[in-house]
Amino acid sequence: MSVNLVRVENLTFSYNSTPAVNGISFNLNKGDYLGIVGPNGSGKSTLVKNILGILPLQSGSIHLFGQPQHKFRRWDKIGYLPQKLSALNTHFPGSVGEILEMGLRKKNAGEKRQVLELMGISHLSSRLIGELSYGEQQRVMLARALIGRPELIIFDEPTTALDPETRDIFYSLSENLNRTNGTTIILVTHDIGIIGEYARHLLYLDKKVLFTGTFEEFCKSREMTGFFGEGSQHIICHQHDGTEKTK
């Protein structure tokens, strides 16, 4: 039986009376890997911020782990990496290792070391966060989102400042978390051509839902063929050799 971790129903949110998202509805089940894609200004980050309660609910409803959002208290079950690190206080007098420990329910040197190694930042453990480059800070915050072993992780454009090697490590890590550990993942990205390699489900957003379903359903959808064009749809589905890649 599928267990809903996130249920969004008829969500509408406006900035200065201009809708950023309009009538959004979808379900996310335990163990899903959902890619949320769409053009710039399509409302992807607004949707995520509504789910997390960063933006107040204006219209519609959101349930998290079976509870109405306003009653949900177990935020330790959710890891989040925002699109921009503007909320990060680079003057915070804490080392990388100390910042990671803040994400643990109890001190666990082994888990901290494992995450540091996975993200390739073991050598930065004693450095102050403000001394790091933007890309290094992004790696630290990725590690911070992962270290508490949350049941649901939401990544909002997580690879923007990462070099290609670290980007590949991140995508492989996210896939392993989902396939091996059963971690439920929402990955927001503008790169629809990459996300199909990892995510099993797709939500295509342009202020409203244009498509929601599995990648297999997307790749077989004549409506999406008409919307994207056959060539672009094949690229999204990684059908370069004429065969359909499914998960």
PDB file of all heavy atoms in Angstrom, residues 34-68:
ATOM      1  N   LEU A  34      11.061  12.142  -7.319  1.00  0.00           N
ATOM      2  CA  LEU A  34      10.293  13.049  -8.178  1.00  0.00           C
ATOM      3  C   LEU A  34      11.180  14.176  -8.687  1.00  0.00           C
ATOM      4  O   LEU A  34      11.814  14.881  -7.907  1.00  0.00           O
ATOM      5  CB  LEU A  34       9.120  13.646  -7.392  1.00  0.00           C
ATOM      6  CG  LEU A  34       8.314  14.752  -8.099  1.00  0.00           C
ATOM      7  CD1 LEU A  34       7.538  14.187  -9.290  1.00  0.00           C
ATOM      8  CD2 LEU A  34       7.365  15.432  -7.115  1.00  0.00           C
ATOM      9  N   GLY A  35      11.204  14.356 -10.000  1.00  0.00           N
ATOM     10  CA  GLY A  35      11.851  15.511 -10.594  1.00  0.00           C
ATOM     11  C   GLY A  35      10.810  16.575 -10.901  1.00  0.00           C
ATOM     12  O   GLY A  35       9.823  16.301 -11.587  1.00  0.00           O
ATOM     13  N   ILE A  36      11.006  17.779 -10.361  1.00  0.00           N
ATOM     14  CA  ILE A  36      10.140  18.909 -10.678  1.00  0.00           C
ATOM     15  C   ILE A  36      10.895  19.818 -11.628  1.00  0.00           C
ATOM     16  O   ILE A  36      11.961  20.336 -11.291  1.00  0.00           O
ATOM     17  CB  ILE A  36       9.720  19.686  -9.420  1.00  0.00           C
ATOM     18  CG1 ILE A  36       8.947  18.775  -8.457  1.00  0.00           C
ATOM     19  CG2 ILE A  36       8.865  20.896  -9.795  1.00  0.00           C
ATOM     20  CD1 ILE A  36       8.492  19.467  -7.175  1.00  0.00           C
ATOM     21  N   VAL A  37      10.366  19.976 -12.823  1.00  0.00           N
ATOM     22  CA  VAL A  37      11.059  20.746 -13.851  1.00  0.00           C
ATOM     23  C   VAL A  37      10.120  21.782 -14.445  1.00  0.00           C
ATOM     24  O   VAL A  37       8.898  21.713 -14.288  1.00  0.00           O
ATOM     25  CB  VAL A  37      11.603  19.826 -14.970  1.00  0.00           C
ATOM     26  CG1 VAL A  37      12.623  18.849 -14.421  1.00  0.00           C
ATOM     27  CG2 VAL A  37      10.459  19.072 -15.640  1.00  0.00           C
ATOM     28  N   GLY A  38      10.715  22.735 -15.135  1.00  0.00           N
ATOM     29  CA  GLY A  38       9.944  23.793 -15.771  1.00  0.00           C
ATOM     30  C   GLY A  38      10.858  24.966 -16.056  1.00  0.00           C
ATOM     31  O   GLY A  38      11.967  25.049 -15.521  1.00  0.00           O
ATOM     32  N   PRO A  39      10.426  25.898 -16.882  1.00  0.00           N
ATOM     33  CA  PRO A  39      11.262  27.046 -17.237  1.00  0.00           C
ATOM     34  C   PRO A  39      11.443  27.992 -16.063  1.00  0.00           C
ATOM     35  O   PRO A  39      10.778  27.868 -15.028  1.00  0.00           O
ATOM     36  CB  PRO A  39      10.470  27.712 -18.373  1.00  0.00           C
ATOM     37  CG  PRO A  39       9.047  27.316 -18.119  1.00  0.00           C
ATOM     38  CD  PRO A  39       9.111  25.930 -17.550  1.00  0.00           C
ATOM     39  N   ASN A  40      12.357  28.939 -16.220  1.00  0.00           N
ATOM     40  CA  ASN A  40      12.531  29.971 -15.196  1.00  0.00           C
ATOM     41  C   ASN A  40      11.213  30.711 -14.981  1.00  0.00           C
ATOM     42  O   ASN A  40      10.506  31.030 -15.936  1.00  0.00           O
ATOM     43  CB  ASN A  40      13.613  30.971 -15.623  1.00  0.00           C
ATOM     44  CG  ASN A  40      15.000  30.363 -15.585  1.00  0.00           C
ATOM     45  OD1 ASN A  40      15.250  29.403 -14.859  1.00  0.00           O
ATOM     46  ND2 ASN A  40      15.908  30.913 -16.367  1.00  0.00           N
ATOM     47  N   GLY A  41      10.886  30.967 -13.709  1.00  0.00           N
ATOM     48  CA  GLY A  41       9.650  31.668 -13.403  1.00  0.00           C
ATOM     49  C   GLY A  41       8.411  30.806 -13.442  1.00  0.00           C
ATOM     50  O   GLY A  41       7.286  31.320 -13.400  1.00  0.00           O
ATOM     51  N   SER A  42       8.598  29.482 -13.496  1.00  0.00           N
ATOM     52  CA  SER A  42       7.445  28.581 -13.606  1.00  0.00           C
ATOM     53  C   SER A  42       6.807  28.266 -12.257  1.00  0.00           C
ATOM     54  O   SER A  42       5.769  27.615 -12.205  1.00  0.00           O
ATOM     55  CB  SER A  42       7.861  27.277 -14.299  1.00  0.00           C
ATOM     56  OG  SER A  42       8.867  26.613 -13.557  1.00  0.00           O
ATOM     57  N   GLY A  43       7.461  28.678 -11.160  1.00  0.00           N
ATOM     58  CA  GLY A  43       6.875  28.453  -9.837  1.00  0.00           C
ATOM     59  C   GLY A  43       7.458  27.283  -9.078  1.00  0.00           C
ATOM     60  O   GLY A  43       6.918  26.886  -8.035  1.00  0.00           O
ATOM     61  N   LYS A  44       8.568  26.731  -9.545  1.00  0.00           N
ATOM     62  CA  LYS A  44       9.145  25.548  -8.903  1.00  0.00           C
ATOM     63  C   LYS A  44       9.545  25.834  -7.449  1.00  0.00           C
ATOM     64  O   LYS A  44       9.174  25.098  -6.531  1.00  0.00           O
ATOM     65  CB  LYS A  44      10.365  25.051  -9.700  1.00  0.00           C
ATOM     66  CG  LYS A  44      10.066  24.688 -11.150  1.00  0.00           C
ATOM     67  CD  LYS A  44      11.260  24.065 -11.843  1.00  0.00           C
ATOM     68  CE  LYS A  44      12.472  24.978 -11.944  1.00  0.00           C
ATOM     69  NZ  LYS A  44      12.209  26.160 -12.817  1.00  0.00           N
ATOM     70  N   SER A  45      10.324  26.896  -7.254  1.00  0.00           N
ATOM     71  CA  SER A  45      10.769  27.220  -5.891  1.00  0.00           C
ATOM     72  C   SER A  45       9.609  27.675  -5.015  1.00  0.00           C
ATOM     73  O   SER A  45       9.576  27.396  -3.808  1.00  0.00           O
ATOM     74  CB  SER A  45      11.851  28.307  -5.934  1.00  0.00           C
ATOM     75  OG  SER A  45      13.040  27.797  -6.520  1.00  0.00           O
ATOM     76  N   THR A  46       8.641  28.367  -5.610  1.00  0.00           N
ATOM     77  CA  THR A  46       7.454  28.776  -4.854  1.00  0.00           C
ATOM     78  C   THR A  46       6.708  27.551  -4.340  1.00  0.00           C
ATOM     79  O   THR A  46       6.264  27.517  -3.180  1.00  0.00           O
ATOM     80  CB  THR A  46       6.523  29.630  -5.728  1.00  0.00           C
ATOM     81  OG1 THR A  46       7.211  30.832  -6.108  1.00  0.00           O
ATOM     82  CG2 THR A  46       5.245  29.996  -4.991  1.00  0.00           C
ATOM     83  N   LEU A  47       6.570  26.532  -5.175  1.00  0.00           N
ATOM     84  CA  LEU A  47       5.910  25.299  -4.765  1.00  0.00           C
ATOM     85  C   LEU A  47       6.644  24.668  -3.590  1.00  0.00           C
ATOM     86  O   LEU A  47       6.024  24.281  -2.587  1.00  0.00           O
ATOM     87  CB  LEU A  47       5.851  24.329  -5.943  1.00  0.00           C
ATOM     88  CG  LEU A  47       5.367  22.905  -5.640  1.00  0.00           C
ATOM     89  CD1 LEU A  47       3.969  22.915  -5.045  1.00  0.00           C
ATOM     90  CD2 LEU A  47       5.421  22.049  -6.905  1.00  0.00           C
ATOM     91  N   VAL A  48       7.969  24.556  -3.687  1.00  0.00           N
ATOM     92  CA  VAL A  48       8.763  23.954  -2.620  1.00  0.00           C
ATOM     93  C   VAL A  48       8.616  24.740  -1.324  1.00  0.00           C
ATOM     94  O   VAL A  48       8.449  24.168  -0.239  1.00  0.00           O
ATOM     95  CB  VAL A  48      10.237  23.860  -3.050  1.00  0.00           C
ATOM     96  CG1 VAL A  48      11.134  23.578  -1.845  1.00  0.00           C
ATOM     97  CG2 VAL A  48      10.420  22.776  -4.100  1.00  0.00           C
ATOM     98  N   LYS A  49       8.671  26.057  -1.415  1.00  0.00           N
ATOM     99  CA  LYS A  49       8.571  26.890  -0.206  1.00  0.00           C
ATOM    100  C   LYS A  49       7.189  26.798   0.425  1.00  0.00           C
ATOM    101  O   LYS A  49       7.049  26.906   1.646  1.00  0.00           O
ATOM    102  CB  LYS A  49       8.910  28.338  -0.551  1.00  0.00           C
ATOM    103  CG  LYS A  49      10.391  28.548  -0.851  1.00  0.00           C
ATOM    104  CD  LYS A  49      10.681  29.972  -1.287  1.00  0.00           C
ATOM    105  CE  LYS A  49      12.151  30.170  -1.600  1.00  0.00           C
ATOM    106  NZ  LYS A  49      12.443  31.543  -2.081  1.00  0.00           N
ATOM    107  N   ASN A  50       6.163  26.573  -0.383  1.00  0.00           N
ATOM    108  CA  ASN A  50       4.830  26.334   0.167  1.00  0.00           C
ATOM    109  C   ASN A  50       4.785  24.999   0.898  1.00  0.00           C
ATOM    110  O   ASN A  50       4.211  24.898   1.986  1.00  0.00           O
ATOM    111  CB  ASN A  50       3.783  26.363  -0.945  1.00  0.00           C
ATOM    112  CG  ASN A  50       3.207  27.739  -1.184  1.00  0.00           C
ATOM    113  OD1 ASN A  50       2.215  28.129  -0.575  1.00  0.00           O
ATOM    114  ND2 ASN A  50       3.851  28.509  -2.051  1.00  0.00           N
ATOM    115  N   ILE A  51       5.381  23.965   0.314  1.00  0.00           N
ATOM    116  CA  ILE A  51       5.392  22.646   0.939  1.00  0.00           C
ATOM    117  C   ILE A  51       6.064  22.704   2.308  1.00  0.00           C
ATOM    118  O   ILE A  51       5.597  22.112   3.286  1.00  0.00           O
ATOM    119  CB  ILE A  51       6.097  21.621   0.029  1.00  0.00           C
ATOM    120  CG1 ILE A  51       5.244  21.339  -1.222  1.00  0.00           C
ATOM    121  CG2 ILE A  51       6.368  20.316   0.779  1.00  0.00           C
ATOM    122  CD1 ILE A  51       5.949  20.510  -2.274  1.00  0.00           C
ATOM    123  N   LEU A  52       7.161  23.463   2.377  1.00  0.00           N
ATOM    124  CA  LEU A  52       7.954  23.533   3.604  1.00  0.00           C
ATOM    125  C   LEU A  52       7.432  24.560   4.597  1.00  0.00           C
ATOM    126  O   LEU A  52       7.966  24.675   5.701  1.00  0.00           O
ATOM    127  CB  LEU A  52       9.410  23.854   3.255  1.00  0.00           C
ATOM    128  CG  LEU A  52      10.159  22.753   2.505  1.00  0.00           C
ATOM    129  CD1 LEU A  52      11.489  23.281   1.973  1.00  0.00           C
ATOM    130  CD2 LEU A  52      10.385  21.543   3.409  1.00  0.00           C
ATOM    131  N   GLY A  53       6.403  25.315   4.206  1.00  0.00           N
ATOM    132  CA  GLY A  53       5.858  26.319   5.105  1.00  0.00           C
ATOM    133  C   GLY A  53       6.679  27.591   5.176  1.00  0.00           C
ATOM    134  O   GLY A  53       6.427  28.455   6.025  1.00  0.00           O
ATOM    135  N   ILE A  54       7.653  27.735   4.296  1.00  0.00           N
ATOM    136  CA  ILE A  54       8.448  28.967   4.247  1.00  0.00           C
ATOM    137  C   ILE A  54       7.574  30.109   3.749  1.00  0.00           C
ATOM    138  O   ILE A  54       7.696  31.253   4.204  1.00  0.00           O
ATOM    139  CB  ILE A  54       9.679  28.769   3.334  1.00  0.00           C
ATOM    140  CG1 ILE A  54      10.587  27.690   3.926  1.00  0.00           C
ATOM    141  CG2 ILE A  54      10.434  30.074   3.138  1.00  0.00           C
ATOM    142  CD1 ILE A  54      11.701  27.258   3.006  1.00  0.00           C
ATOM    143  N   LEU A  55       6.691  29.790   2.812  1.00  0.00           N
ATOM    144  CA  LEU A  55       5.661  30.726   2.372  1.00  0.00           C
ATOM    145  C   LEU A  55       4.327  30.288   2.973  1.00  0.00           C
ATOM    146  O   LEU A  55       4.033  29.092   3.016  1.00  0.00           O
ATOM    147  CB  LEU A  55       5.558  30.746   0.846  1.00  0.00           C
ATOM    148  CG  LEU A  55       6.741  31.339   0.082  1.00  0.00           C
ATOM    149  CD1 LEU A  55       6.550  31.156  -1.427  1.00  0.00           C
ATOM    150  CD2 LEU A  55       6.938  32.811   0.413  1.00  0.00           C
ATOM    151  N   PRO A  56       3.520  31.229   3.441  1.00  0.00           N
ATOM    152  CA  PRO A  56       2.242  30.864   4.062  1.00  0.00           C
ATOM    153  C   PRO A  56       1.246  30.337   3.038  1.00  0.00           C
ATOM    154  O   PRO A  56       1.203  30.809   1.895  1.00  0.00           O
ATOM    155  CB  PRO A  56       1.760  32.189   4.663  1.00  0.00           C
ATOM    156  CG  PRO A  56       2.391  33.245   3.807  1.00  0.00           C
ATOM    157  CD  PRO A  56       3.732  32.703   3.414  1.00  0.00           C
ATOM    158  N   LEU A  57       0.468  29.365   3.456  1.00  0.00           N
ATOM    159  CA  LEU A  57      -0.544  28.785   2.581  1.00  0.00           C
ATOM    160  C   LEU A  57      -1.646  29.811   2.317  1.00  0.00           C
ATOM    161  O   LEU A  57      -2.239  30.343   3.255  1.00  0.00           O
ATOM    162  CB  LEU A  57      -1.120  27.534   3.235  1.00  0.00           C
ATOM    163  CG  LEU A  57      -1.991  26.628   2.379  1.00  0.00           C
ATOM    164  CD1 LEU A  57      -1.182  26.043   1.227  1.00  0.00           C
ATOM    165  CD2 LEU A  57      -2.557  25.491   3.238  1.00  0.00           C
ATOM    166  N   GLN A  58      -1.900  30.093   1.047  1.00  0.00           N
ATOM    167  CA  GLN A  58      -2.943  31.059   0.681  1.00  0.00           C
ATOM    168  C   GLN A  58      -4.232  30.358   0.258  1.00  0.00           C
ATOM    169  O   GLN A  58      -5.318  30.736   0.676  1.00  0.00           O
ATOM    170  CB  GLN A  58      -2.448  31.958  -0.463  1.00  0.00           C
ATOM    171  CG  GLN A  58      -1.330  32.908  -0.074  1.00  0.00           C
ATOM    172  CD  GLN A  58      -0.869  33.760  -1.242  1.00  0.00           C
ATOM    173  OE1 GLN A  58      -1.232  33.520  -2.411  1.00  0.00           O
ATOM    174  NE2 GLN A  58      -0.060  34.768  -0.954  1.00  0.00           N
ATOM    175  N   SER A  59      -4.083  29.337  -0.585  1.00  0.00           N
ATOM    176  CA  SER A  59      -5.267  28.650  -1.094  1.00  0.00           C
ATOM    177  C   SER A  59      -4.900  27.210  -1.428  1.00  0.00           C
ATOM    178  O   SER A  59      -3.838  26.945  -1.990  1.00  0.00           O
ATOM    179  CB  SER A  59      -5.779  29.359  -2.358  1.00  0.00           C
ATOM    180  OG  SER A  59      -6.891  28.682  -2.912  1.00  0.00           O
ATOM    181  N   GLY A  60      -5.797  26.287  -1.068  1.00  0.00           N
ATOM    182  CA  GLY A  60      -5.515  24.875  -1.278  1.00  0.00           C
ATOM    183  C   GLY A  60      -5.075  24.227   0.030  1.00  0.00           C
ATOM    184  O   GLY A  60      -5.191  24.815   1.105  1.00  0.00           O
ATOM    185  N   SER A  61      -4.571  23.004  -0.075  1.00  0.00           N
ATOM    186  CA  SER A  61      -4.154  22.282   1.133  1.00  0.00           C
ATOM    187  C   SER A  61      -2.878  21.489   0.866  1.00  0.00           C
ATOM    188  O   SER A  61      -2.608  21.077  -0.264  1.00  0.00           O
ATOM    189  CB  SER A  61      -5.260  21.337   1.615  1.00  0.00           C
ATOM    190  OG  SER A  61      -5.485  20.299   0.676  1.00  0.00           O
ATOM    191  N   ILE A  62      -2.118  21.289   1.939  1.00  0.00           N
ATOM    192  CA  ILE A  62      -0.889  20.496   1.894  1.00  0.00           C
ATOM    193  C   ILE A  62      -0.875  19.572   3.099  1.00  0.00           C
ATOM    194  O   ILE A  62      -1.105  20.012   4.230  1.00  0.00           O
ATOM    195  CB  ILE A  62       0.363  21.394   1.910  1.00  0.00           C
ATOM    196  CG1 ILE A  62       0.399  22.293   0.668  1.00  0.00           C
ATOM    197  CG2 ILE A  62       1.633  20.547   1.979  1.00  0.00           C
ATOM    198  CD1 ILE A  62       1.511  23.333   0.692  1.00  0.00           C
ATOM    199  N   HIS A  63      -0.617  18.297   2.855  1.00  0.00           N
ATOM    200  CA  HIS A  63      -0.449  17.319   3.928  1.00  0.00           C
ATOM    201  C   HIS A  63       0.968  16.756   3.860  1.00  0.00           C
ATOM    202  O   HIS A  63       1.474  16.457   2.771  1.00  0.00           O
ATOM    203  CB  HIS A  63      -1.455  16.177   3.808  1.00  0.00           C
ATOM    204  CG  HIS A  63      -2.845  16.548   4.229  1.00  0.00           C
ATOM    205  ND1 HIS A  63      -3.651  17.375   3.479  1.00  0.00           N
ATOM    206  CD2 HIS A  63      -3.569  16.192   5.336  1.00  0.00           C
ATOM    207  CE1 HIS A  63      -4.818  17.520   4.090  1.00  0.00           C
ATOM    208  NE2 HIS A  63      -4.792  16.831   5.212  1.00  0.00           N
ATOM    209  N   LEU A  64       1.605  16.619   5.018  1.00  0.00           N
ATOM    210  CA  LEU A  64       2.939  16.059   5.128  1.00  0.00           C
ATOM    211  C   LEU A  64       2.904  14.856   6.057  1.00  0.00           C
ATOM    212  O   LEU A  64       2.436  14.970   7.199  1.00  0.00           O
ATOM    213  CB  LEU A  64       3.920  17.100   5.671  1.00  0.00           C
ATOM    214  CG  LEU A  64       4.078  18.385   4.856  1.00  0.00           C
ATOM    215  CD1 LEU A  64       4.940  19.393   5.610  1.00  0.00           C
ATOM    216  CD2 LEU A  64       4.678  18.093   3.489  1.00  0.00           C
ATOM    217  N   PHE A  65       3.347  13.713   5.556  1.00  0.00           N
ATOM    218  CA  PHE A  65       3.363  12.480   6.348  1.00  0.00           C
ATOM    219  C   PHE A  65       1.986  12.215   6.960  1.00  0.00           C
ATOM    220  O   PHE A  65       1.864  11.797   8.106  1.00  0.00           O
ATOM    221  CB  PHE A  65       4.431  12.549   7.440  1.00  0.00           C
ATOM    222  CG  PHE A  65       5.844  12.529   6.905  1.00  0.00           C
ATOM    223  CD1 PHE A  65       6.429  13.690   6.425  1.00  0.00           C
ATOM    224  CD2 PHE A  65       6.572  11.348   6.868  1.00  0.00           C
ATOM    225  CE1 PHE A  65       7.729  13.691   5.924  1.00  0.00           C
ATOM    226  CE2 PHE A  65       7.870  11.332   6.375  1.00  0.00           C
ATOM    227  CZ  PHE A  65       8.444  12.507   5.895  1.00  0.00           C
ATOM    228  N   GLY A  66       0.941  12.499   6.191  1.00  0.00           N
ATOM    229  CA  GLY A  66      -0.419  12.205   6.609  1.00  0.00           C
ATOM    230  C   GLY A  66      -1.056  13.248   7.500  1.00  0.00           C
ATOM    231  O   GLY A  66      -2.207  13.079   7.913  1.00  0.00           O
ATOM    232  N   GLN A  67      -0.345  14.339   7.802  1.00  0.00           N
ATOM    233  CA  GLN A  67      -0.889  15.378   8.674  1.00  0.00           C
ATOM    234  C   GLN A  67      -1.053  16.686   7.913  1.00  0.00           C
ATOM    235  O   GLN A  67      -0.236  17.011   7.037  1.00  0.00           O
ATOM    236  CB  GLN A  67       0.044  15.629   9.863  1.00  0.00           C
ATOM    237  CG  GLN A  67       0.128  14.499  10.858  1.00  0.00           C
ATOM    238  CD  GLN A  67       0.978  14.902  12.049  1.00  0.00           C
ATOM    239  OE1 GLN A  67       2.113  15.332  11.906  1.00  0.00           O
ATOM    240  NE2 GLN A  67       0.423  14.757  13.243  1.00  0.00           N
ATOM    241  N   PRO A  68      -2.088  17.475   8.245  1.00  0.00           N
ATOM    242  CA  PRO A  68      -2.165  18.818   7.677  1.00  0.00           C
ATOM    243  C   PRO A  68      -0.883  19.584   8.002  1.00  0.00           C
ATOM    244  O   PRO A  68      -0.329  19.449   9.094  1.00  0.00           O
ATOM    245  CB  PRO A  68      -3.375  19.440   8.394  1.00  0.00           C
ATOM    246  CG  PRO A  68      -4.195  18.276   8.836  1.00  0.00           C
ATOM    247  CD  PRO A  68      -3.212  17.180   9.166  1.00  0.00           C
TER     248      PRO A  68
END
